[in-house]
Amino acid sequence: MQRSRIRPVVVGLALAAMVVTVPSAAIAGTAGATDPQLESGSALGCERQLEEALRLDMESFRDFDAETFRAGHDERAITVFPSGFIANGVDATMAALASHFANRNAVWTWTETHRIVDGCKSAVVIYDAHYDIPSQGFFQHQVVTVTWIYENGRWLAVADVNTLLP
């Protein structure tokens, strides 16, 4: 008797799982234009896109790849440098960083310390970072806070605030 009760339960669970997963796959294929969480196919896809955007942002700066760094920023992006200088817009940010990308002598290291993500809408990521130019005896320890928005199916940095640490 127990055997006959177990089988309907297992079949019922399997059917329930199919009902839960099939509609979400169908929705992902049709609703992408209106639901930001589904633009990339799923919330998981959006999370992967964020991971890639974060990696490209930090690595392109480290590797002096100005084109990739710029592409990851919204045109309206604001950068607050450790000196307090504010670059308003990606053009101003790139102009302020021109020597970094041209001289290629800095060492950029970072560790992510905090992250807050609001679905496929926005994210704030905080890094403990070091910007050093050993050949010039320049060593800077800072907290870097980058704010991201998800727009038109991709993550873009909109604010980069750099706080100097002693």
Side-chain angles (χ1 to χ4, degrees):
M1 259 206 203
Q2 264 188 321
R3 189 174 201 185
S4 63
R5 288 184 182 174
I6 292 173
R7 187 168 184 217
V9 169
V10 171
V11 170
L13 288 173
L15 289 172
M18 287 174 33
V19 168
V20 169
T21 58
V22 172
S24 62
I27 291 169
T30 59
T34 58
D35 185 345
Q37 287 194 328
L38 299 175
E39 283 184 21
S40 61
S42 70
L44 182 58
C46 180
E47 183 179 320
R48 286 185 189 136
Q49 283 181 311
L50 177 61
E51 288 298 326
E52 180 70 1
L54 299 177
R55 184 186 67 75
L56 285 173
D57 182 50
M58 299 306 272
E59 289 181 3
S60 65
F61 188 74
R62 177 196 66 195
D63 298 341
F64 312 104
D65 180 352
E67 185 178 316
T68 300
F69 184 79
R70 180 189 183 96
H73 288 73
D74 186 89
E75 289 296 319
R76 305 162 294 176
I78 296 170
T79 301
V80 180
F81 289 89
S83 66
F85 173 74
I86 299 172
N88 190 2
V90 72
D91 290 337
T93 296
M94 297 308 293
L97 294 172
S99 64
H100 165 78
F101 290 108
N103 295 339
R104 306 174 68 90
N105 59 354
V107 178
W108 175 242
T109 58
W110 66 92
T111 302
E112 182 178 316
T113 60
H114 299 83
R115 181 186 299 194
I116 299 171
V117 180
D118 181 17
C120 285
K121 296 176 187 168
S122 63
V124 176
V125 181
I126 300 175
Y127 302 94
D128 181 297
H130 292 267
Y131 185 83
D132 303 329
I133 307 174
S135 63
Q136 297 177 11
F138 181 83
F139 302 94
Q140 193 172 72
H141 184 199
Q142 54 192 315
V143 171
V144 176
T145 304
V146 183
T147 303
W148 296 84
I149 59 169
Y150 191 74
E151 209 168 71
N152 298 319
R154 64 189 204 122
W155 287 99
L156 295 169
V158 292
D160 188 333
V161 179
N162 301 266
T163 305
L164 189 60
L165 295 175

